[in-house]
Amino acid sequence: MSKVLIKGGRVINPLNRVDDIRDVLIENGRIKKVDKGISVSADKVINADNLIVCPGLIDIHVHLREPGREDEETVETGTRAAVKGGFTTVACMPNTEPVADSAAVIEYIKEKARSNALARVLPIGALTKELKGEELSPMNELIEAGVIAFSNDGESVMDAEVMRRALEYSKMFDVPVIVHAEDKQLSVNGQINEGLYSTVLGLKGIPAAAEEVIIARDLILAKMTGAKIHFAHVSTRGSVELIRRAKEEGINVTCEVTPHHLTLTDAMIESYDSNYKVNPPLRSEIDVLALREGLKNGTIDAIASDHAPHALHEKEREFQFAPFGVIGLETTLPLVLTELVEARELSLLSLVEKLTINPAKILGLDLGTLSEGSAADITIIDNKAKVKVDINNFQSKSKNSPFHGWVLNGKVSCLIANGKVVVEDGNSIIPCKEGV
Ligand code: DOR
């Protein structure tokens, strides 16, 4: 019987609004007790004085690139980056090569996770075959193979009839459709946000409307079908407003925002650095303020990294030819701790909620809490530790981060995934032979 005792940490458990000094006892991979002054003899005692102890973070939007682009990331390296960044669970997007639109690919990812992953890996199935937006994927087969949601991420579903049917089927399985909202005709050839900077830099713009018209359409379809809809990486003030009104109306909708859309603007692209090239694009200051306000007032439910690794030789091409995407698993937590909590825009409890229980609820997972009896997924954070982001220290195989050199607050001190200590003393990652 293995017992781990975490002593004296500031325990934050958003599900029951606890934010207090407590001990946490883990027994056989489950949380046995959360209380003051637990005294039992344990196999391992972790001193959490002056540290935050919270449910393991859940990232519902990650690209692990396996199968197909193992030069950019693998299930192993992606989950190494995840645990280093505080995440005990990641949901991985289906835009792999081949696309995750068959049970065979899902089985392959699950097998990789069983043998190599340091964090829980939950595959998201393709919404349409090859993500072409034309024909529905074999959704039943994918559900049976274990997907927890459907998405066309990276590509948009332009055909409203296809989206309607996708929502109807997903409702039967009671899983959400995660929408990459982009009107491909409005965004065609676009490189960055349409506005002053697209004009100044001579790059074709992607208007806010490209995102908003699809959100508006899909909200109407969600209302019509009653399906669960979740909008990935919302980036504009108009999107937040549409979702706020839909929630008021009682539509079954949730949404997420990325750390880069909360902290960067299109003004920063002046140097044509393709590490700022992402889809949806970095928007204006007004949008950033609206996203932050949306987080505060509850319109935005979750923070997700949209970790999108890309090979250096592809990112280093001219801006127009470089792929879209930034990595985020290892910078999300310090970024939001510094930019939102230190800056007193969001309480620590609210932030943890948007990184744990809310993402769990969106995907219908029995995770994201420190409740007694639940799986022992725990992240222990030193929120006072200063870190200088250095791409050379990343666990991820890719380095495409616009945050290199930033000095941030917050470091993962220890991480327990499914009862196993996989990060200790900040840096050391214990190799995991069997997966989590
Ligand atoms: O910037 C992005 N990169 N946005 C997406 O939607 C896809 C992602 C990728 O897969 O690289």
Side-chain angles (χ1 to χ4, degrees):
M1 184 184 283
S2 89
K3 283 187 193 172
V4 180
L5 182 58
I6 304 169
K7 288 291 287 177
R10 176 178 170 191
V11 169
I12 300 194
N13 187 19
L15 186 64
N16 55 11
R17 315 304 294 169
V18 166
D19 178 355
D20 200 2
I21 305 297
R22 301 272 161 97
D23 298 340
V24 180
L25 178 65
I26 300 165
E27 216 173 280
N28 295 331
R30 304 240 140 221
I31 294 174
K32 177 83 177 165
K33 202 171 179 192
V34 179
D35 208 346
K36 293 189 176 168
I38 300 177
S39 75
V40 291
S41 66
D43 304 290
K44 186 173 183 69
V45 177
I46 297 169
N47 176 7
D49 272 356
N50 300 316
L51 302 177
I52 293 163
V53 177
C54 66
L57 310 184
I58 301 173
D59 191 340
I60 57 175
H61 193 146
V62 168
H63 298 271
L64 292 178
R65 302 289 190 234
E66 192 169 13
R69 288 304 304 262
E70 290 82 355
D71 61 315
E72 296 182 328
E73 200 75 284
T74 62
V75 169
E76 183 182 356
T77 59
T79 56
R80 272 184 186 277
V83 295
K84 182 90 185 294
F87 295 95
T88 51
T89 299
V90 294
C92 57
M93 284 295 175
N95 60 340
T96 47
E97 298 172 19
V99 167
D101 61 2
S102 68
V105 177
I106 300 300
E107 289 300 343
Y108 181 86
I109 296 166
K110 282 170 56 184
E111 178 45 38
K112 288 286 169 190
R114 266 192 296 275
S115 47
N116 298 324
L118 281 98
R120 249 175 248 280
V121 174
L122 305 173
I124 297 167
L127 191 62
T128 62
K129 283 189 185 163
E130 294 178 54
L131 300 180
K132 284 186 176 160
E134 293 163 2
E135 228 184 307
L136 292 186
S137 64
M139 292 170 89
N140 190 42
E141 173 186 319
L142 291 172
I143 287 285
E144 279 172 7
V147 304
I148 41 84
F150 293 104
S151 183
N152 232 54
D153 190 58
E155 297 294 334
S156 204
V157 177
M158 286 300 292
D159 185 324
E161 164 68 5
V162 172
M163 186 52 108
R164 173 199 174 166
R165 299 297 171 207
L167 287 165
E168 283 171 347
Y169 277 102
S170 69
K171 190 182 175 200
M172 294 194 314
F173 304 119
D174 197 27
V175 298
V177 169
I178 301 175
V179 174
H180 171 114
E182 177 184 352
D183 184 305
K184 287 286 199 188
Q185 277 134 16
L186 284 171
S187 69
V188 68
N189 297 329
Q191 301 294 321
I192 66 169
N193 182 42
E194 182 177 298
L196 173 67
Y197 292 97
S198 61
T199 309
V200 170
L201 299 174
L203 294 167
K204 171 91 171 39
I206 302 173
E211 178 171 312
E212 293 158 9
V213 294
I214 296 292
I215 292 189
R217 180 199 75 179
D218 289 355
L219 284 170
I220 292 169
L221 294 175
K223 185 175 175 185
M224 174 191 183
T225 57
K228 282 185 191 162
I229 198 161
H230 174 79
F231 291 104
H233 45 49
V234 294
S235 72
T236 76
R237 179 171 65 167
S239 299
V240 179
E241 182 53 19
L242 284 165
I243 295 165
R244 189 188 65 74
R245 281 195 257 139
K247 284 190 168 186
E248 247 172 42
E249 225 190 293
I251 296 173
N252 209 343
V253 56
T254 53
C255 69
E256 78 199 23
V257 65
T258 71
H260 44 274
H261 288 111
L262 287 168
T263 55
L264 305 175
T265 67
D266 54 356
M268 296 167 180
I269 309 172
E270 274 169 330
S271 59
Y272 293 92
D273 180 350
S274 66
N275 284 320
Y276 292 94
K277 182 172 176 179
V278 65
N279 191 17
L282 303 174
R283 304 284 186 184
S284 70
E285 191 71 41
I286 288 172
D287 297 299
V288 170
L289 293 175
L291 294 171
R292 289 178 175 221
E293 184 52 37
L295 261 186
K296 275 185 255 175
N297 68 27
T299 303
I300 300 179
D301 305 88
I303 297 170
S305 72
D306 192 4
H307 179 80
H310 285 289
L312 192 60
H313 68 277
E314 290 175 12
K315 263 297 195 190
E316 279 190 340
R317 299 185 66 193
E318 299 87 324
F319 199 93
Q320 290 92 317
F321 302 113
F324 290 95
V326 304
I327 53 171
L329 280 168
E330 292 169 81
T331 47
T332 291
L333 179 64
L335 269 170
V336 290
L337 273 173
T338 310
E339 294 273 328
L340 302 176
V341 177
E342 283 286 314
R344 299 194 179 280
E345 289 203 25
L346 206 63
S347 71
L348 193 53
L349 189 78
S350 296
L351 181 77
V352 172
E353 188 174 36
K354 291 179 196 291
L355 287 164
T356 59
I357 190 69
N358 284 5
K361 283 185 190 159
I362 290 165
L363 295 180
L365 308 172
D366 196 12
L367 295 171
T369 149
L370 296 176
S371 303
E372 289 163 19
S374 56
D377 287 357
I378 299 176
T379 302
I380 304 180
I381 304 160
D382 183 351
N383 64 328
K384 299 282 181 292
K386 281 229 176 311
V387 283
K388 186 167 181 181
V389 177
D390 185 345
I391 53 171
N392 301 306
N393 292 338
F394 282 162
Q395 298 289 325
S396 173
K397 265 197 182 180
S398 292
K399 310 290 172 208
N400 51 304
S401 168
F403 299 108
H404 179 66
W406 283 40
V407 178
L408 301 169
N409 279 353
K411 184 173 173 164
V412 174
S413 159
C414 177
L415 180 138
I416 300 171
N418 211 13
K420 291 183 195 165
V421 180
V422 289
V423 176
E424 230 181 345
D425 302 328
N427 285 315
S428 54
I429 293 178
I430 298 167
C432 185
K433 288 276 177 291
E434 297 148 33
V436 170

